[in-house]
Amino acid sequence: GARLLWRVDRVVSNAGATARRLAATAIGSALGLDPSGIRIVRRPPVAIHRGRPLEVDVSLSHHGRFAAFACALVR
């Protein structure tokens, strides 16, 4: 019953930061949270909102000019 989210975008400067931004924006939108309050940290990646982990499984990827993320929203 998980909801899947994913996005791919071109990298302008920092591939890792681009992947994390994509994830935070989509997760925030899907959960009705301010994306600027979401951080993607650690390895494997964990989504944090205001110091608390969110119930999402996140995967980040980047190669060359492209960055992407995929995640499964538990709720």
Side-chain angles (χ1 to χ4, degrees):
R3 181 174 168 198
L4 301 177
L5 301 175
W6 62 272
R7 301 280 186 282
V8 177
D9 202 357
R10 289 183 183 258
V11 172
V12 175
S13 63
N14 182 314
T18 300
R20 289 189 299 277
R21 178 188 48 80
L22 288 171
T25 300
I27 292 167
S29 178
L31 297 178
L33 302 171
D34 179 6
S36 68
I38 296 175
R39 292 184 10 224
I40 310 297
V41 298
R42 296 196 284 261
R43 289 183 190 199
V46 175
I48 307 269
H49 181 257
R50 295 185 179 169
R52 294 183 148 180
L54 297 172
E55 292 188 42
V56 298
D57 293 324
V58 181
S59 177
L60 304 175
S61 180
H62 53 83
H63 181 76
R65 299 178 304 172
F66 298 98
F69 91 96
C71 78
L73 300 177
V74 176
R75 63 175 187 156

